[in-house]
Amino acid sequence: MRWFIRVLACSVACVASAAQAEDSNADRLCSERPGLTTTACITAAGRLQTETGLASWTLEQGDGERTDTVLIGDTLVRYGVGGKTELRLGWTPYGFARDRDADGSVKRSSRVGDATVGVKTSVVERKGDTGLAMSMLVDAVLPIGRRPIGAGDWGVTFQLPVTYRTSDKISLQATPIVAAAVNDDGRGRHSLYGSAVEIEYSLSDAVKADLSAQVTRDDDPDPQVRGTPALGSIALSWQPSSNMQLDLGTNVGLNRAAPDVEFYAGISHRF
């Protein structure tokens, strides 16, 4: 009986030691959540990663009108191929919108959202723990959803994510964006361009804080929609293991052209 207890104890110790080594030495998950920027990292070859917005709520108000939008399960799937490229598929399975007009009338809509397909490729790879990384990202909207959750037509977005890690604590990010965005009425496209910037600070090995801002120019044909929305964001993320991350954050409109506020929570997992 004693030899069995000794073997069992030794086995438990070895497993614990191996798990600790895996968490400390393995490359940690690199999620594009949370925040307004997009990280330059690429999913490793042969690895599948999901990034899901468990729930988000957005409030827009103006001229006596109010719109509340709730999205559930908004998911991005990333799959690495060849070490420098990843294939991407996204879908919003459910959204709810509540519109209240200035006269007090209310309209409610429950819809399925659109899908997206994309490719992300590394342009500059960071050597070591610090330095510069850059990638190119192209996404296309497939209008399979229904308005107002779905866009109503196809669109294309090009991003150039740039990440510069100054130390093991601080990372700086910028994401210029150019898009053929769908018009607000759901028919046709217009130009949208701008950029987001972010500073990420590691509070510990597992917890990070993100502070970001974004300014875009939206040339929608509708003069009530056309403008230059500016957003600010603060978020926290926690990685309990090298393959999982939980996040919580808020986006705040910095001018009248932007939505007033958004709260969201999500999870990322690598297989």
Side-chain angles (χ1 to χ4, degrees):
M1 186 66 178
R2 290 183 179 178
W3 67 268
F4 176 78
I5 295 176
R6 290 176 182 176
V7 170
L8 180 62
C10 181
S11 300
V12 171
C14 289
V15 170
S17 178
Q20 184 178 8
E22 180 183 358
D23 267 352
S24 59
N25 297 327
D27 60 325
R28 298 186 66 79
L29 177 148
C30 187
S31 175
E32 294 181 353
R33 300 182 57 90
L36 297 171
T37 62
T38 301
T39 181
C41 66
I42 304 294
T43 304
R47 302 299 295 270
L48 184 71
Q49 184 167 313
T50 61
E51 302 178 13
T52 301
L54 299 175
S56 70
W57 167 68
T58 304
L59 170 65
E60 298 180 70
Q61 299 183 97
D63 299 326
E65 300 180 350
R66 170 177 174 142
T67 300
D68 296 85
T69 304
V70 176
L71 301 180
I72 303 294
D74 189 17
T75 299
L76 172 65
V77 179
R78 304 165 60 190
Y79 181 74
V81 293
K84 293 187 177 182
T85 302
E86 68 178 41
L87 305 179
R88 304 157 62 88
L89 176 64
W91 184 45
T92 304
Y94 177 78
F96 172 80
R98 179 183 182 275
D99 295 297
R100 188 191 67 192
D101 293 334
D103 60 4
S105 61
V106 175
K107 180 180 179 181
R108 297 177 176 85
S109 304
S110 299
R111 300 285 190 265
V112 172
D114 293 330
T116 60
V117 293
V119 178
K120 186 178 182 183
T121 302
S122 176
V123 177
V124 177
E125 293 186 80
R126 182 169 57 242
K127 305 299 183 182
D129 296 332
T130 61
L132 179 71
M134 181 186 301
S135 61
M136 294 189 300
L137 170 58
V138 179
D139 278 317
V141 175
L142 306 180
I144 65 172
R146 298 173 57 196
R147 290 178 51 78
I149 303 303
D153 206 341
W154 64 269
V156 178
T157 300
F158 173 80
Q159 298 180 62
L160 190 68
V162 178
T163 302
Y164 186 80
R165 183 167 293 280
T166 62
S167 67
D168 60 347
K169 291 286 188 181
I170 299 176
S171 178
L172 307 176
Q173 295 188 161
T175 310
I177 180 174
V178 177
V182 180
N183 294 342
D184 186 64
D185 63 5
R187 298 187 296 272
R189 283 150 297 282
H190 63 275
S191 62
L192 182 148
Y193 51 91
S195 186
V197 294
E198 176 182 284
I199 180 169
E200 178 186 270
Y201 184 78
S202 297
L203 301 174
S204 68
D205 290 340
V207 180
K208 297 178 181 179
D210 300 272
L211 184 65
S212 56
Q214 181 187 60
V215 178
T216 54
R217 175 60 189 178
D218 190 339
D219 289 333
D220 194 282
D222 187 342
Q224 293 186 335
V225 179
R226 186 186 311 127
T228 308
L231 289 168
S233 174
I234 185 169
L236 291 172
S237 60
W238 172 50
Q239 291 191 8
S241 72
S242 61
N243 290 317
M244 179 179 290
Q245 174 184 284
L246 303 173
D247 64 73
L248 185 69
T250 181
N251 300 329
V252 178
L254 303 180
N255 59 10
R256 290 179 57 86
D260 292 85
V261 66
E262 176 185 5
F263 294 100
Y264 61 85
I267 182 171
S268 302
H269 193 278
R270 182 174 58 179
F271 298 91

